[in-house]
Amino acid sequence: TVTYVNSAGEETNSISEEGKYTLKITGKGNYKESWTKELKVTRNINTMPLSIESVTYNGQAVVISNLTVTGLDCAYSVSSSGEVKKAGDYSLIVTADDNKGIYTGSTTVDFTVEKLDLENCTVSVEPSAIPYTGDEVEQPNVEVRYDGNVISYENYTVAYSSDILIEKGEYSVTVTATPEGNLTGRKTADFSIEYSGSFNAEDAVSG
């Protein structure tokens, strides 16, 4: 009889996947002796459905070495050790680095850096409460953050609900993703112009 023993010690009548096996031949009848031989079934990784899970832009560059190739049960190396700073589609060459010698070869694996939805970001307006002076005031500063990381301004545009800020009241800013940037969508934040304790309305009228 012919049987195979896999690396887990399990016997099987055939080989269906890559790995290390022990071929065992046992005689019948007058031939009671057995014979064994070590076998190694290799597989080129270009025949395997490997993948890299998509990541979402978070305000920082994506470090290539932090990406994980799934579907490969051995050590490997990738063709780049750099960073990806823009959302988009990319490819890496993955090379098997298997010290057991089971997996061999190289293959190209695609991955995507998804754009970050502005709805998941924090939009801050500073100052959020502007003292009323009776005169036009400067537009407040706007900052966009995600998970503590500042999103650079080239990824979005800012529009104020009023181009002239004089009157007391509530205002808003709308942050909109630029088509060529790393964001998507839009988000609105509020600010106000209000009387301060030091403002004298009569002085403003008389002035």
Side-chain angles (χ1 to χ4, degrees):
T1 59
V2 177
T3 57
Y4 302 92
V5 181
N6 62 24
S7 57
E10 301 166 335
E11 287 194 358
T12 178
N13 293 325
S14 62
I15 295 176
S16 60
E17 59 184 22
E18 65 277 1
K20 290 185 176 181
Y21 295 85
T22 299
L23 169 63
K24 184 178 181 180
I25 301 176
T26 303
K28 292 183 177 181
N30 295 327
Y31 301 96
K32 299 295 184 181
E33 294 184 3
S34 62
W35 177 80
T36 60
K37 182 176 178 60
E38 300 301 316
L39 301 176
K40 181 171 63 176
V41 179
T42 62
R43 184 175 181 181
N44 194 308
I45 65 173
N46 64 13
T47 65
M48 301 173 66
L50 305 184
S51 62
I52 298 175
E53 186 175 353
S54 296
V55 295
T56 300
Y57 177 78
N58 66 359
Q60 295 184 329
V62 176
V63 180
I64 297 297
S65 60
N66 290 342
L67 298 175
T68 300
V69 178
T70 58
L72 183 57
D73 190 23
C74 75
Y76 59 86
S77 59
V78 295
S79 56
S80 174
S81 59
E83 298 178 334
V84 173
K85 298 181 179 180
K86 294 280 292 182
D89 298 321
Y90 298 89
S91 297
L92 285 176
I93 297 175
V94 178
T95 302
D97 194 10
D98 186 7
N99 57 11
K100 296 180 181 179
I102 302 299
Y103 298 99
T104 63
S106 301
T107 190
T108 299
V109 183
D110 300 327
F111 71 99
T112 300
V113 178
E114 303 281 0
K115 291 190 175 187
L116 174 63
D117 193 334
L118 266 167
E119 280 296 325
N120 298 322
C121 298
T122 300
V123 177
S124 302
V125 182
E126 184 61 37
S128 59
I130 303 172
Y132 175 75
T133 64
D135 297 320
E136 183 176 356
V137 297
E138 292 185 358
Q139 294 174 331
N141 296 319
V142 176
E143 184 178 72
V144 179
R145 286 179 176 264
Y146 177 78
D147 198 24
N149 299 323
V150 176
I151 307 299
S152 56
Y153 65 88
E154 63 264 22
N155 290 293
Y156 58 86
T157 59
V158 176
Y160 293 83
S161 57
S162 176
D163 292 331
I164 300 175
L165 301 178
I166 298 177
E167 300 299 328
K168 174 182 173 292
E170 300 294 326
Y171 298 86
S172 65
V173 294
T174 300
V175 177
T176 303
T178 57
E180 67 278 4
N182 296 313
L183 305 176
T184 185
R186 63 180 58 191
K187 192 168 187 177
T188 299
D190 299 322
F191 67 98
S192 63
I193 298 177
E194 53 191 50
Y195 291 128
S196 65
S198 60
F199 175 74
N200 189 319
E202 292 183 358
D203 290 343
V205 172
S206 62

